[in-house]
Amino acid sequence: MHAKTKKKQDGASADHQSLGTGILPYKYSIAITPNFKTFRYDGSEAIDLNVLSSTKEISLNASELEVRRASVISGNTEQSATIKENRDEQKITLVLKRPVKGKAQIKMKFSGTNNDGMYGFYRSRYKQNGKQSYSLSSQFEAADARKAFPCFDEPAFKARFSVSFVIDKDMHAISNMPPSQVIDAGKGKKEVRFEETPPMSTYLLYLGVGKYDIIKSMCGNTEVSVITSPGNKQMAKIPLTYAKAFLKFYEHYFGIKFPLPKIDFIAVPDFAAGAMENWGAITFRESALLLDGKSSVALRQRVAEVIAHELAHQWFGDLVTMRWWNDLWLNESFATFMATKAMDSVFPEWKVKVKYKDDVIATAQAADQLKSTHPISVHVDSPAQIDQLFDRISYEKGGSVLNMLEDYVSPKIFREGLHRYLKAHSYSNATKSDLWGAIDEVSREKHMKLKVNEVASKWIDTPGYPLIWARRGRDCVELKQERYLLIQSKMTSPTWPIPLSYSVSGKERKLLMESKSVKIAAGGDDWIKINQGQNGFYRVYYSKEDTERLGSLISARRIGDVDAWGIAHDLFSKSRSGRSRIAEYLDFVSAYCMNVGYPANSDILSSLSWINNTLHPIGSAQAKELLLRYSGNVLDKLGWNRDPKESSFDTTMRSQAIISSGLAGNQRTLDTASRMFYSSMREGKEIEPNIKGAVYALAAWSEGEAAYNLLRKKFASEKLPEESLRILRAMGMFSSPELLRKAMDFSMSNDVRIQDSYLIPAIASSNPFARGIILEWTERNWPRLKEMYASGTHMLGRYLENLSCLNTREDMAEVKRFFNSKENFREDIVQSMSHAIELIESNIRFLETNR
C-alpha cells in the first residue's frame, strides 16, 4: 500500500513518515495565479510519474491547501479520483476505481493562501513611497513545498519542474530558470512561462512574484542578478561583485561549471532563515545580502560568508542532494566549510581561516558539550524532527569535522574525492557513505595508508567529542581520551579515532590515536602542544606545570595566536565545567595572555564577560578587575578611531573592547560612548560604522530612558537593515529591568518584523539585569509566540535558548513544568528545551563552585 511505509530508508525508523518508493514522479507542470488583494492563489498541476506496482491509491503530500479536483491519466484513460485527506501526516490520497500501473499523470486543481508566517508560498511586506506594498516569495525547506502545491515532498523524489504564473503586467515573476515565454493574458495580465529545470528536489523550487529593482551582470555564460525591493538597488552592487567572484572560485574548485543559465540573489523583506539555496534563485534576509560603502567590516564579512555559503549549496545540496534528512549535514556542513575556502581565496586579507577557529569550531564545541546533543547524522522521521536539525551540530560541528578530516587526508586528496563524489551523483541523491567512499578511493589509489571510512563514520555517527588529558611520564607524555561533557558524568565514554597533530619543542608530528590512551616521546625539558594549529575537534588539558610552561611560551610570543587561543579556550572550559575553580583561568590570563592577538584576545574577552555576567550580582573582584584591565589594554592599543590600513581583526576587536570595557564599568568608556550617541542622535554627527553598535549598546546601558526614547524614534524612520538591527540589539542592553521589559514588549509589536522580533530577547538573555524577568516574559508571551512561528521557521526554539541564562533550581523546575505541559509543548522545541535545562543546571553548578 502506497501510504505510511514500514520500509526503512537511510536514517529512518519504523515511524518514518515517507511516501515510500513505489511511485516515482519525474516531471511537474505547475501554473499559479496569485491575487494581491485576497492573498489567495489558484493553481493547476500535472505530475508525470512512474507507478511501479498496480494500485488504486496514490498518496502525496499536501497541507494547508484546498484540492478541489483530481484525476489520473493512465494509458488513454482519464479517471476522476476521490480525495482523502490525512492532516496529521500532511497527506492526501487519490482513490481510483480502476488500478493504474506504469506511466501515469496526476492532474489537479487547487488553491492556497499566501500566509504571513514566512513558510510555504507566503507574502512579504515592505514600504514604497510611504505605502504598504507586498511581494510573494517561497520557503520550502525542509517540508513546506506541500504547503504551496501537492507534491512528493521528499528530497529523494527528484523531478523536472515547468512553472508558469499569470500576474499583473507591471510585476515580475521569478523561478529557478529564466523565462522562456511571456504571453498577453488579457485584462492587464500576462502569463510568464519558465524554462524546465533539471531534476531537483521539491524543497529547492522557488516561486516569487512582485515589483523589484534588479541589477545583473554576466559571469562567463551565467547571468548573475541581485534582486531587491524597489528603492534598494544601490545596496546591490557590492553583493553582485561578491557573487561573481565566489561563483568563479567554485567552478574552478569543484571542476564543474554552474549548471543553470542564470542565478538570482533575492533580498526578501520578511524571511525566517538567513538565506536559502533554491537552485538558481537564492533568497536572503535583506540584512544578509544588502550593503553599501558605509557598511561595517562585520557586515561585509557576514554578507560575503552567506553568499559563499549559499553558492556552495548549488553544488553540494542542489546538484547532489542528500537522500534523506538524516544527512542534512552533507548540505550544511559542506557549505559552512566551503564558504571559508571561497572567502579566503577572494579576500585573503580577512584571514577567515583564523576566524573559523573562533566562529565555527568554538561554537560547535559549545553546542556539542551537552548530554542532549545529537550526532551529525541523526535519525529523523517527522517534519518537526527535521526542523530541529537546522542547528549548530549540522552546520558548525559538521564543518569542524570536515576541517579536521581535510587536515588528516590532505587538501589535495580531499578535493579530488569531492570531485569524484559530485561527478558520480550529479542530478541525483547521495548518502554520507558515498562521500567517504569517494575520498577513500582517492587515498587508496595514491597508496596512502589512511583510515578514511573509520575516522569519518565515527565522528559523524557519534555524539559529543573527546577531551585529551596530557600527563607526564618518564621520557614521554601519556595522552588519555574521554568524552568531554559540560556536566561531568560517569556514562561510558566512546573511543574516537583522533587525527592528532602535535608539537614537541616546536617539531610538528602527526598520528592517529585509535585507543583510549597513547604515549608520545618527550624529554623532561621538552614542551609539548597537542592539537597544533587547532584543526582537531577536541579539547586538551595539561598538568599545572605544562600549562604554565605553555603560558610562558605564549607570553614570549613563541606560540602563535591560534594555538594560544586553543590553550586558553580549553583552560576556560576546565573551569566552566567544574573541573577546576575559575581562579586558575583568571591567573593564567593575567600572567601570560595580556598581549595575545586574535583570536585569543577575542575569546578571552568573551570568557571574562561571561564570568562577570554569570556571577552577577555577587560578582568576583578578581574577574571584574581583570576584565577592566584586559579590555582597557586592548582599547588603549587600538584607540577609538579606525586606521584604514589596519587588519579586519583590529577593526572588530575595537568594538568588542569598547563594549566589554563599558559593561565592566569603565566610566571614561561609558562617558565617551554617551557623548557620541547624543551627538549622533540629536545633531546627526556620524559615528564610525564599525563601533556604532557598541556605542548604542553602552548608551542603552548607562543612559536609560533617554536612550530608549531616542532609539525608538530612530528605529521608526530607519530604512537601512544594518542600522535597524543595531538598534534592536542595543534595546536588549538596558540596565533597568523595567526598560528591558518595555523593550521586549516592543519586540512583539507590529513595528518590528516577525523575523527580527527574537533579537531583543536574545540579546537580553546575556544581560544580567534581564535574568529576573525573562522567564516570566517568555511564559506570558508563549501563546502568541507559538502562533507567530510555525514549525518550519525554526524560530520558536530560540526563545527556549534564551532561558539558558537562568541559574536557580526554582527557575529550572519552572522551565520543566511550563514547557512540558500539554498546552505549551510543541514537538519542534524538544531539543531547545533539553539544551536550556542542561545549561541552567551547569550555571547552577558553576555558581556553587565559584561563588
Side-chain angles (χ1 to χ4, degrees), residues 36 39 123-136 171 209-212 229-230 269-270 753:
F36 275 76
F39 293 110
R123 66 182 184 266
S124 178
R125 61 187 171 92
Y126 63 94
K127 287 201 173 169
Q128 185 177 13
N129 300 323
K131 293 183 179 179
Q132 189 78 15
S133 298
Y134 291 89
S135 60
L136 304 180
M171 288 190 168
V209 179
K211 296 179 181 179
Y212 306 107
S229 299
D270 293 295
R753 290 185 181 276

Side-chain angles (χ1 to χ4, degrees), residues 466-482 495-496 498-504 509-522 527-532 538-543 546 550:
L467 161 64
I468 294 177
W469 292 89
R471 294 187 173 96
R472 286 278 173 174
R474 178 176 293 183
D475 295 326
C476 72
V477 173
E478 184 177 18
L479 307 181
K480 288 188 175 181
Q481 64 161 294
E482 64 183 51
T495 300
W496 283 267
I498 306 173
L500 283 179
S501 296
Y502 62 98
S503 176
V504 178
R509 298 167 186 172
K510 290 179 181 281
L511 66 85
L512 183 64
M513 182 179 179
E514 298 181 81
S515 57
K516 284 284 186 185
S517 66
V518 67
K519 292 179 180 179
I520 55 178
W527 59 266
I528 184 161
K529 165 67 173 65
I530 310 298
N531 203 0
Q532 182 73 13
Y538 52 90
R539 297 193 187 278
V540 183
Y541 292 165
Y542 303 89
S543 67
D546 278 331
L550 290 171

